[in-house]
């Protein structure tokens, strides 16, 4: 691919006074009309010559990462020419192969496209390949960050597939809406391995092999106080309860002031 044509040579062991027209069949893994210009199926060795060439031309630089492909030609008969000219008796001399070498390559990277928000907004990463491939690209990845899989978001599989013919695949982070007041948390994904065409590799910049998205917390709480029980001299203590309307992932320390007609240290233990 990229400008170099392939070529077969059909050889006759002696010159003839007439043209020799040889028919042939075409096979191989390359596709006629897509990977190279369709061949005619016959070639003429001119009178007075001992050889003719079959050019595998029009090789398409298709921008697809794919394995090298083959064009196989098998001589099938003498269509016209001197009656004393025949095909070689050794079948191995009647067939040969030209390889079309692919010149394409691609790299794979990751980016965080959208943060997640508790309450219905999922996060998303996109894994990008710089060119399409003729085969699937399976990318494995590691997951880290401050968010907890199975608690803050649905556990990720650890691999994603870029289908043949495509350049992207997404990793969706399904956010779990918990009732806990907490800080925003991070999901970090780093690309770890490839099962792909050998010409598909990771981006050479390590910073393009990992990214992070934020899971934004949607919970809040208020704090209040109420007197639950009066105190009675002679053994009954009083009690206040400080209430938070939702649980938090961290301790909540509440300061308070004390007043009233009772005297701290005289009527009750100092608070």
């Amino acid at each position: 691919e990229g400008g170099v044509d392939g070529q077969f040579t059909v050889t006759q062991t002696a010159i003839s006074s007439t043209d020799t027209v040889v028919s042939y069949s075409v096979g191989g893994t390359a596709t006629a009309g897509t990977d190279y210009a369709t061949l005619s199926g016959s070639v003429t060795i001119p009178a007075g010559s001992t050889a003719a060439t079959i050019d595998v031309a029009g090789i398409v630089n298709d921008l697809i990462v794919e394995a090298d492909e083959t064009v196989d030609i098998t001589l099938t008969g003498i269509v016209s020419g001197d009656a004393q000219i025949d095909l070689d008796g050794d079948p191995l001399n009647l067939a040969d192969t030209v390889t079309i070498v692919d010149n394409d390559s691609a790299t794979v990277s990751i980016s965080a496209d959208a943060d997640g928000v508790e309450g219905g907004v999922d996060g998303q990463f996109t894994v990008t390949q710089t060119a399409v491939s003729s085969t699937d690209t399976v990318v494995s990845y590691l997951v880290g960050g401050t968010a907890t899989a199975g608690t803050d978001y649905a556990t990720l599989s650890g691999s994603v597939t870029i289908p043949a013919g495509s350049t992207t695949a997404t990793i969706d982070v399904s956010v779990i809406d918990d009732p806990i007041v907490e800080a925003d948390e991070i999901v970090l994904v780093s690309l770890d391995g490839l099962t792909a065409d050998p010409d598909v590799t990771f981006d050479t910049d390590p910073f393009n092999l990992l990214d992070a998205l934020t899971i934004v917390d949607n919970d809040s709480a208020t704090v209040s106080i109420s007197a639950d029980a009066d105190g009675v001299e002679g053994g009954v203590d009083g009690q206040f309860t400080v209430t938070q309307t939702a649980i938090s992932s961290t301790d909540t320390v509440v300061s308070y002031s004390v007043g009233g007609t009772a005297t701290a240290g005289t009527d009750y233990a100092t608070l």
Side-chain angles (χ1 to χ4, degrees):
E1 289 185 0
V4 180
D5 292 336
Q7 188 177 77
F8 294 90
T9 297
V10 180
T11 302
Q12 186 172 280
T13 55
I15 60 175
S16 172
S17 61
T18 59
D19 291 347
T20 302
V21 180
V22 183
S23 62
Y24 58 86
S25 61
V26 183
T29 58
T31 303
T34 300
D35 297 310
Y36 62 96
T38 301
L39 299 173
S40 67
S42 68
V43 64
T44 299
I45 302 173
S49 179
T50 58
T53 58
I54 302 170
D55 293 319
V56 182
I59 294 176
V60 178
N61 190 11
D62 55 18
L63 305 179
I64 299 172
V65 181
E66 57 193 340
D68 295 343
E69 296 174 303
T70 58
V71 179
D72 301 331
I73 284 187
T74 302
L75 303 185
T76 57
I78 306 297
V79 176
S80 64
D82 190 284
Q84 293 176 304
I85 298 174
D86 202 356
L87 295 179
D88 192 295
D90 186 347
L92 296 179
N93 292 331
L94 301 181
D96 212 344
T97 299
V98 160
T99 299
I100 298 176
V101 179
D102 187 59
N103 68 339
D104 299 294
S105 62
T107 60
V108 174
S109 60
I110 189 171
S111 62
D113 300 323
D115 291 331
V117 181
E118 288 186 358
V121 179
D122 292 334
Q124 189 177 78
F125 295 92
T126 296
V127 179
T128 300
Q129 185 172 283
T130 54
V132 299
S133 174
S134 63
T135 57
D136 291 347
T137 299
V138 181
V139 185
S140 61
Y141 57 85
L142 304 174
V143 184
T146 57
T148 303
T151 301
D152 298 309
Y153 62 95
T155 301
L156 300 174
S157 67
S159 71
V160 65
T161 298
I162 301 173
S166 181
T167 57
T168 61
T170 58
I171 302 170
D172 294 318
V173 180
S174 298
V175 176
I176 297 172
D177 188 10
D178 61 33
I180 301 172
V181 180
E182 57 193 340
D184 296 343
E185 294 175 302
I186 298 297
V187 180
L188 174 68
V189 170
S190 56
L191 303 185
D192 181 55
L194 283 174
T195 303
D197 186 285
D199 290 318
V200 176
T201 57
F202 280 136
D203 192 293
T204 56
D205 185 346
F207 290 104
N208 291 331
L209 302 183
L210 76 167
D211 209 348
L213 62 77
T214 301
I215 296 177
V216 179
D217 186 60
N218 69 338
D219 300 294
S220 61
T222 59
V223 175
S224 60
I225 190 170
S226 61
D228 299 323
D230 291 333
V232 179
E233 289 184 357
V236 179
D237 292 335
Q239 187 179 70
F240 294 91
T241 295
V242 178
T243 302
Q244 185 173 280
T245 54
I247 62 175
S248 173
S249 62
T250 57
D251 294 344
T252 301
V253 180
V254 182
S255 62
Y256 57 86
S257 60
V258 182
T261 58
T263 303
T266 301
D267 298 311
Y268 61 93
T270 302
L271 297 175

